[in-house]
Amino acid sequence: MGKEEQRKKYGISGGIAIMMQIQMVIIGIALIITGYGIINSFDSPNRLVVYALQAGTCLAILIFGLFQFHKKKSSYFKSVIYVYAVLEGVRCALLSTNGIAAWAGILARLLMIALACGLVLLAEHLGEKKYSNLAYLLIFFEAALFLLFALMFATGGRLLFKILPVVGILICGSICLFNEAKIKQNH
C-alpha cells in the first residue's frame, strides 16, 4: 500500500505517523515507571490505587494509539481523557499532606483540580485547533505538580517517589501529541 493509499484509508500522513510513534514510546516509558511504582507500593493503598489507575490510563492510551487512532470518530480517545481527569480527581482526594507545608498541599490540590477541569475541557474540544494551547497548558501544570512533589512531598524519601510524578507529564505529553495529530488528521 502506497503512502497516498495509506493516508486515504487511515488518515495518517508521514508527520502524524512519526508523532504517533513518539507518543507510543513516551507512554511506554510511563507504563514502565508506573509498573515499577505499583511493585513498590503494596505498603500504601492510596499510592497503589493511584498507580493502578495510571497504569490503566497508559494501557488505554496504548490501545487507542495502536487500534483506534486511524478512525475519524474520537469518542474512545475522549473517554481516555475523561479517565485521566478522574485519575487527577482521585489523586487529589487521596493526597496525604501530613508533614507538608500547608501552602504546598493547597497548591498541589489546586493544580490537580485545574488539571482535571482542563482535561474535561480538552476532551470536549478534542481536535479543535483553537484549543490546542490547552494541551500545552496541561503539560505545564503537570510539570509544576512534578516540581512541587519532588521538592516538597518526596523530601528524604526514596528516589522512586520523586520520579513517579514524571508519569503525569508523559501522559499529558502523549495526550498533547494525540490532540495535535487529530488536528492534522482533521485538516
Side-chain angles (χ1 to χ4, degrees):
M1 182 182 301
K3 286 183 180 182
E4 187 60 30
E5 290 173 341
Q6 182 182 14
R7 192 188 71 69
K8 285 181 183 176
K9 183 174 180 182
Y10 298 112
I12 299 174
S13 65
I16 294 173
I18 291 170
M19 289 171 73
M20 295 303 298
Q21 291 168 352
I22 291 169
Q23 184 278 332
M24 294 307 224
V25 169
I26 288 171
I27 211 64
I29 292 168
L31 186 58
I32 290 168
I33 294 170
T34 301
Y36 189 68
I38 289 171
I39 291 169
N40 289 292
S41 294
F42 285 108
D43 60 333
S44 174
N46 289 354
R47 281 190 185 135
L48 189 59
V49 167
V50 170
Y51 299 150
L53 288 172
Q54 278 183 345
T57 302
C58 291
L59 287 172
I61 291 172
L62 282 173
I63 290 168
F64 174 80
L66 293 173
F67 302 112
Q68 297 289 321
F69 180 78
H70 64 278
K71 297 179 180 176
K72 292 286 184 184
K73 192 175 177 185
S74 59
S75 61
Y76 180 86
F77 187 53
K78 285 182 180 184
S79 64
V80 170
I81 296 174
Y82 288 135
V83 166
Y84 189 56
V86 168
L87 169 63
E88 289 297 338
V90 169
R91 282 174 70 189
C92 184
L94 297 178
L95 182 65
S96 173
T97 57
N98 295 336
I100 305 299
W103 69 268
I106 292 169
L107 183 58
R109 288 185 197 277
L110 287 174
L111 283 170
M112 285 185 234
I113 291 168
L115 278 162
C117 294
L119 286 162
V120 169
L121 185 63
L122 181 65
E124 289 298 316
H125 299 284
L126 186 65
E128 295 179 23
K129 191 170 180 90
K130 69 179 182 177
Y131 286 92
S132 65
N133 290 337
L134 179 58
Y136 294 104
L137 181 63
L138 295 174
I139 293 172
F140 173 77
F141 285 162
E142 277 289 358
L145 191 59
F146 165 73
L147 288 174
L148 187 62
F149 278 139
L151 297 175
M152 299 302 294
F153 284 78
T155 57
R158 295 172 30 201
L159 180 62
L160 171 66
F161 298 122
K162 289 185 180 189
I163 294 173
L164 273 164
V166 168
V167 172
I169 298 170
L170 297 175
I171 291 172
C172 270
S174 70
I175 289 172
C176 181
L177 284 173
F178 270 139
N179 189 52
E180 289 295 325
K182 277 293 180 193
I183 290 169
K184 287 184 180 184
Q185 186 183 34
N186 292 336
H187 290 91

